[in-house]
């Protein structure tokens, strides 16, 4: 067929009736050396890319390079921001921490790879294209129904209309037609620009409205976009609600809740309120300055310990087993600093020392067997690890510290030394020691409830009585069991002594 001389020829298209003839034509065109070709079918045809000799797309490489660019950008951005421009320590990590940079690097890798895939696909397909010369042929409409078309672009270096026409005819095409340029206007209609400008103008209205509301004042109520943010569905105290089965908004206190005033000031502090009013005024101050301490008659050591506490600490280091302390009346040393620690610091000397006569001499709660059993439970949880389950000061933590020869370890006091008995160490003072701490021992007010702290005091007193009590103090029905246990213990000790003696004799004989 002759070419249309009035229009620019874009290529040549041939129509085929079956997919087999199309595939044969594709192979023939490929073998003839044509590279700029394309096929149009009403359904996907397996193997047509190979038949046309189409090379694999470079889109995956574009995605790879886009992802690498995203990774590099993220690493460089975070390295500059956190390592050079604005150094900021986050969770103790170094300024340049590549493991911490990975989440942002991952996100930018995906983002840049997605951009490369999206825009690369547009570029490789020469999009956007407002028209296609193939649409100028009315027979091309059947490509969506029952016809197959093969197209050779006129820009192919081997393109020759006569040769291509003969090649297509030999391949079995009955319809071969040049593809001419679309004669539709090449300029974008003006109304399109007008629509774009109108949309851009309308999109600026919300921004201007927001700026106006933020920068100006108005007597009218604001416009509520999200009502739940401005009008909370929370109920008032006496209102009904559907959230609970009893329809009551007000709920009962959680079990164990302590309301204000549940315990008296004496029970909470362990001190006689009337006698220690001046000190109590300072008890609720978390940090005491020098003026407040001086006004209360106290003194603060720069190291956080009073002179008395330092003397006691040195004595404990020289006598880790507390053997000599039983011979001393140390109510003014070891006991003198108990309860003197601040509720915040836990160090002795942080508050003015409180005289013994200002502490409660006895436990202000009802002491019974259940109360002491509760104290035993709490003592074994919190106290026994240092003071030992029998109160001798030989707990697991202490044994471990001695084993590793820790030079900073302050041995815990034996609860059986005479200076800690009730007549020299009031119950309120023992409660204060548990509450506020002493020397290296921290306060346990945050971990142990008020009533349980008094229960520990009661249990400690019970432990002390086991060392200085007599058999006459034991109920008659239990004395026989104690006598039996005593005899068994003596027999066991005697047996162990004989075994040790035999072992020593054998060792001496070997020498």
């Amino acid at each position: 067929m002759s070419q249309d001389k009035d229009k620019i020829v874009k290529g040549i298209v041939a129509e085929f009736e079956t997919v087999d003839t199309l595939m044969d034509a594709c192979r023939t065109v490929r073998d003839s050396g044509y590279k700029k070709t394309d096929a149009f079918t009403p359904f996907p045809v397996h193997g047509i890319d190979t038949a046309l000799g189409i090379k694999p797309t470079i889109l995956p490489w574009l995605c790879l390079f886009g992802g690498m660019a995203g990774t590099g950008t993220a690493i460089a951005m975070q390295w500059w921001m956190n390592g050079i421009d604005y150094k900021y320590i986050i969770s103790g990590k170094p300024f340049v921490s590549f493991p911490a940079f990975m989440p942002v690097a991952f996100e930018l890798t995906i983002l840049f790879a997605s951009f490369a895939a999206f825009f690369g696909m547009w570029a490789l397909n020469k999009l956007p294209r407002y028209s296609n010369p193939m649409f100028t042929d009315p027979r091309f409409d059947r490509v969506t129904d029952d016809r197959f078309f093969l197209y050779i672009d006129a820009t192919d270096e081997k393109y020759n209309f006569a040769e291509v026409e003969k090649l297509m005819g030999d391949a079995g095409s009955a319809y071969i037609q040049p593809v001419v340029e679309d004669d539709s206007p090449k300029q974008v209609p003006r109304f399109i620009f007008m629509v774009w400008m109108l949309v851009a103008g309308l999109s600026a209205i919300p921004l201007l409205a927001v700026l106006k509301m933020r920068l100006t004042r108005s007597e009218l109520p604001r416009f509520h976009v999200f009502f739940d943010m401005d009008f909370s569905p929370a109920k008032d105290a006496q209102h009904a609600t559907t959230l609970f089965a009893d329809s009551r908004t007000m709920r009962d206190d959680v079990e164990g809740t302590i309301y204000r005033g549940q315990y008296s000031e004496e029970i909470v502090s362990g001190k006689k309120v009337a006698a220690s009013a001046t000190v109590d005024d300072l008890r609720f101050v978390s940090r005491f300055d020098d003026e407040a301490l001086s006004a209360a008659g106290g003194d603060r050591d720069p190291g956080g310990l009073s002179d008395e506490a330092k003397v006691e600490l040195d004595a404990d280091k020289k006598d880790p087993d507390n053997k000599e302390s039983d011979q001393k009346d140390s109510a003014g040393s070891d006991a003198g600093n108990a309860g003197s620690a601040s509720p915040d610091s836990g160090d002795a000397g942080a508050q003015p020392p409180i005289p013994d006569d200002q502490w409660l001499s006895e436990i202000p709660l009802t002491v019974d067997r259940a109360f002491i059993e509760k104290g035993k439970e709490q003592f074994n949880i919190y106290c026994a690890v240092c003071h030992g389950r029998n109160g001798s000061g030989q707990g697991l933590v202490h044994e471990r510290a001695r084993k590793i020869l820790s030079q900073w370890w302050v041995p815990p006091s034996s609860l059986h030394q005479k200076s800690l008995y009730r007549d020299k160490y009031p119950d309120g003072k023992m409660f204060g020691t548990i509450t506020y701490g002493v020397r290296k021992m921290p306060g346990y007010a945050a971990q142990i409830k008020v009533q349980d702290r008094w229960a520990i005091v009661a249990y400690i007193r019970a432990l002390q009585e086991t060392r200085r009590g007599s058999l006459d103090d034991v109920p008659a029905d239990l004395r026989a069991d104690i006598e039996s246990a005593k005899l068994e213990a003596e027999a066991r000790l005697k047996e162990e002594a004989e075994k040790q003696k035999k072992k020593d004799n054998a060792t001496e004989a070997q020498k």
Side-chain angles (χ1 to χ4, degrees), residues 2-9 180-181 183:
S2 62
Q3 303 181 29
D4 190 339
K5 302 298 184 181
D6 298 333
K7 296 182 180 180
I8 300 175
V9 176
V180 297
E181 185 179 16
D183 57 359

Side-chain angles (χ1 to χ4, degrees), residues 278-279 282 290-300 351-353:
T278 303
V279 179
L282 293 179
D290 295 334
E291 295 181 1
L293 289 174
S294 299
D299 185 23
R300 181 193 296 275
Q351 284 193 24

Side-chain angles (χ1 to χ4, degrees), residues 123-422:
L124 293 176
N125 290 282
K126 299 179 181 179
L127 298 176
R129 298 175 65 182
Y130 300 104
S131 65
N132 193 322
M134 292 292 296
F135 298 153
T136 60
D137 190 339
R139 293 177 65 99
F140 187 71
D141 294 343
R142 298 187 65 178
V143 75
T144 60
D145 188 9
D146 60 352
R147 285 296 183 267
F148 304 86
F149 291 85
L150 179 60
Y151 171 75
I152 299 178
D153 197 284
T155 59
D156 194 295
E157 60 182 13
K158 291 196 63 178
Y159 177 81
N160 182 280
F161 185 81
E163 293 181 1
V164 173
E165 186 177 24
K166 182 179 182 301
L167 187 65
M168 295 293 191
D170 294 341
S173 175
Y175 176 81
I176 303 172
Q177 186 71 20
V179 178
V180 297
E181 185 179 16
D182 187 3
D183 57 359
S184 60
K186 295 181 174 59
Q187 295 182 347
V188 180
R190 294 186 59 183
F191 81 90
I192 297 295
F193 289 104
M194 296 178 63
V195 171
W196 286 347
M197 294 177 62
L198 179 61
V199 172
L202 293 176
S203 63
I205 293 178
L207 177 61
L208 295 176
V210 171
L211 291 176
K212 179 180 181 298
M213 288 186 289
R214 291 184 64 87
L215 301 178
T216 61
R217 295 179 179 274
S218 175
E219 297 180 356
L220 301 176
R222 64 180 180 176
F223 180 76
H224 303 281
V225 179
F226 301 102
F227 283 87
D228 57 338
M229 299 296 291
D230 297 293
F231 303 99
S232 174
K235 300 291 186 178
D236 290 334
Q238 303 298 333
H239 285 189
T241 179
T242 58
L243 296 178
F244 303 101
D246 56 7
S247 301
R248 293 191 304 113
T249 299
M250 298 178 63
R251 311 309 304 160
D252 294 333
D253 293 333
V254 177
E255 184 178 357
T257 300
I258 299 176
Y259 53 86
R260 188 181 299 275
Q262 178 176 358
Y263 293 114
S264 66
E265 186 65 26
E266 292 186 344
I267 294 178
V268 174
S269 65
K271 292 174 288 186
K272 301 175 182 178
V273 176
S276 58
T278 303
V279 179
D280 278 341
D281 292 339
L282 293 179
R283 189 174 64 83
F284 295 100
V285 181
S286 59
R287 301 293 179 188
F288 296 105
D289 54 23
D290 295 334
E291 295 181 1
L293 289 174
S294 299
D299 185 23
R300 181 193 296 275
D301 184 83
L305 290 176
S306 65
D307 293 338
E308 294 178 347
K310 289 182 178 180
V311 172
E312 179 64 19
L313 190 150
D314 294 338
D316 282 341
K317 287 184 177 180
K318 296 177 181 179
D319 182 25
D321 295 328
N322 297 301
K323 294 179 180 178
E324 296 182 3
S325 60
D326 287 342
Q327 312 298 325
K328 301 177 181 179
D329 180 8
S330 57
S333 57
D334 180 42
N337 290 300
S340 300
S342 167
D344 297 313
S345 65
D347 289 334
Q351 284 193 24
I354 300 173
D356 288 350
D357 60 357
Q358 294 185 8
W359 293 103
L360 295 177
S361 59
E362 295 183 355
I363 299 173
L365 300 175
T366 302
V367 179
D368 53 18
R369 186 178 186 86
F371 190 73
I372 297 177
E373 288 292 337
K374 184 64 175 181
K376 177 181 179 181
E377 175 191 47
Q378 297 296 307
F379 180 90
N380 290 335
I381 293 175
Y382 295 101
C383 312
V385 290
C386 289
H387 292 281
R389 296 176 72 90
N390 60 0
S392 62
Q394 306 297 315
L396 295 177
V397 175
H398 175 65
E399 294 297 331
R400 173 61 179 171
R402 294 184 63 182
K403 184 177 181 180
I404 64 176
L405 302 177
S406 174
Q407 59 178 331
W408 303 109
W409 176 246
V410 178
S413 301
S414 170
L415 301 178
H416 298 287
Q417 59 190 37
K418 295 180 180 179
S419 60
L420 295 181
Y421 286 163
R422 180 180 282 122

